[in-house]
Amino acid sequence: MGYHNNGKEMSCMGIGLGWVARICDAVAVAGLLNATLVIPIFHLNSVWRDSSKFYDIFDEDFFIYALRNHVKVVRELPEDLLLQFDNNISSIVNLRVKAWSSPTYYLLKVLPKLKELGAVRIAPFSNRLAHSVPPNIQGLRCLCNFEALRFSEPIRMLAAKMVDRMVKKSSKTNGRYVSVHIRFEEDMVAFSCCTYDGGEEEKHEMDIARERSWRGKFRRRGRVIRPGANRIDGKCPLTPLEENENAGRDVQRECK
């Protein structure tokens, strides 16, 4: 959520998976519109069931501090502005911004509404800003990504503990270790449009999952799903078994 720096309030950004990219885009849009950004709200994902708040994942104080000279960030809407919406964030108009919208679109379509209403929301905020933006806006993305977004202290402590453990244990194997990231959940498999060994039942379940999460995106006219081509192109998530087989081959190769 956020608001405009001329006294107007800007936008509430709903964030789901892909948090980092979406938060950086939110910062970039806030800078573009000279708006104050309210700390992003994470949507509860149907797969992960993760109710984490921004401060659970990232260092909220540092985020606000790191952006202070570029984008004003606040934890919540000022009381007087929230009162205009009956103390209910859901009453703030939600602008449906098209995917990959240009900076010009935001200036022509979003900014007038922001100034008129005092506050707007933009949710969902997945891929809502074009890749190609002016250098100063891209700079805000980079500032957010490489400096402002620092993990919360509990996560940093756990990461340090893991790295220390990896260093100590890998010293027994000449610095080698196996790292496995299993990304095989329903949403990722459905989005990939790949097929496995579940037959028609799997296809039916994945069709339902795609419709539930992306509402017709994969049924648009002219859209052709080619699972075989996706697999050849390396776009299919690996199953846990495939992950294990690949890791085993790598270890064997190192030992020869």
Side-chain angles (χ1 to χ4, degrees):
M1 171 131 20
Y3 53 92
H4 200 263
N5 288 336
N6 61 5
K8 302 291 184 179
E9 310 293 314
M10 188 193 99
S11 54
C12 171
M13 310 294 185
I15 312 292
L17 291 179
W19 288 343
V20 171
R22 299 174 196 187
I23 294 171
C24 292
D25 280 351
V27 168
V29 170
L32 174 69
L33 302 181
N34 188 30
T36 296
L37 179 70
V38 178
I39 289 292
I41 299 171
F42 295 161
H43 285 170
L44 181 64
N45 182 267
S46 60
V47 175
W48 288 92
R49 300 292 181 184
D50 185 355
S51 59
S52 297
K53 301 294 188 291
F54 187 95
Y55 57 76
D56 293 317
I57 308 297
F58 302 108
D59 186 331
E60 194 170 273
D61 290 333
F62 185 78
F63 181 74
I64 295 172
Y65 175 80
L67 294 172
R68 69 193 185 285
N69 294 326
H70 305 275
V71 174
K72 184 179 179 181
V73 182
V74 296
R75 290 182 173 81
E76 57 189 16
L77 285 173
E79 290 186 7
D80 58 338
L81 184 60
L82 191 56
L83 187 61
Q84 297 178 31
F85 298 95
D86 299 323
N87 293 308
N88 186 354
I89 292 175
S90 299
S91 298
I92 301 174
V93 65
N94 183 35
L95 301 181
R96 306 295 291 187
V97 176
K98 293 182 179 180
W100 312 116
S101 290
S102 68
T104 300
Y105 176 89
Y106 280 95
L107 291 172
L108 295 180
K109 299 295 184 180
V110 176
L111 185 57
K113 279 291 183 182
L114 172 58
K115 290 183 175 180
E116 173 191 349
L117 301 173
V120 296
R121 293 184 298 138
I122 303 177
F125 201 67
S126 173
N127 304 323
R128 289 305 184 267
L129 180 62
H131 285 309
S132 180
V133 296
N136 61 315
I137 302 303
Q138 183 63 20
L140 289 176
R141 272 176 167 161
C142 295
L143 177 65
C144 176
N145 190 40
F146 295 108
E147 183 173 344
L149 278 179
R150 184 172 74 179
F151 284 119
S152 62
E153 185 174 359
I155 293 179
R156 295 202 308 274
M157 291 176 63
L158 176 61
K161 184 177 181 179
M162 290 174 64
V163 170
D164 182 65
R165 185 176 298 173
M166 289 164 64
V167 171
K168 289 179 179 178
K169 290 188 177 294
S170 65
S171 63
K172 302 175 183 178
T173 57
N174 296 321
R176 290 194 289 266
Y177 60 88
V178 176
S179 177
V180 180
H181 175 214
I182 298 176
R183 184 67 169 92
F184 197 76
E185 298 100 10
E186 180 185 82
D187 65 329
M188 180 59 72
V189 173
F191 190 83
S192 73
C193 295
C194 295
T195 56
Y196 294 85
D197 56 1
E200 286 300 316
E201 183 179 356
E202 172 195 307
K203 181 180 183 301
H204 178 67
E205 290 181 358
M206 291 301 98
D207 285 342
I208 292 175
R210 281 189 282 269
E211 187 61 25
R212 181 177 61 245
S213 297
W214 295 285
R215 298 191 186 95
K217 177 182 178 71
F218 295 91
R219 295 187 291 102
R220 292 173 184 168
R221 182 179 299 177
R223 181 69 182 260
V224 179
I225 296 177
R226 298 187 176 90
N230 290 346
R231 186 165 292 278
I232 292 174
D233 292 339
K235 297 179 180 178
C236 294
L238 297 180
T239 66
L241 178 60
E242 290 171 327
E243 288 272 12
N244 186 57
E245 289 175 346
N246 284 346
R249 281 195 293 267
D250 289 342
V251 170
Q252 288 178 350
R253 193 178 302 115
E254 287 290 340
C255 292
K256 287 182 179 179

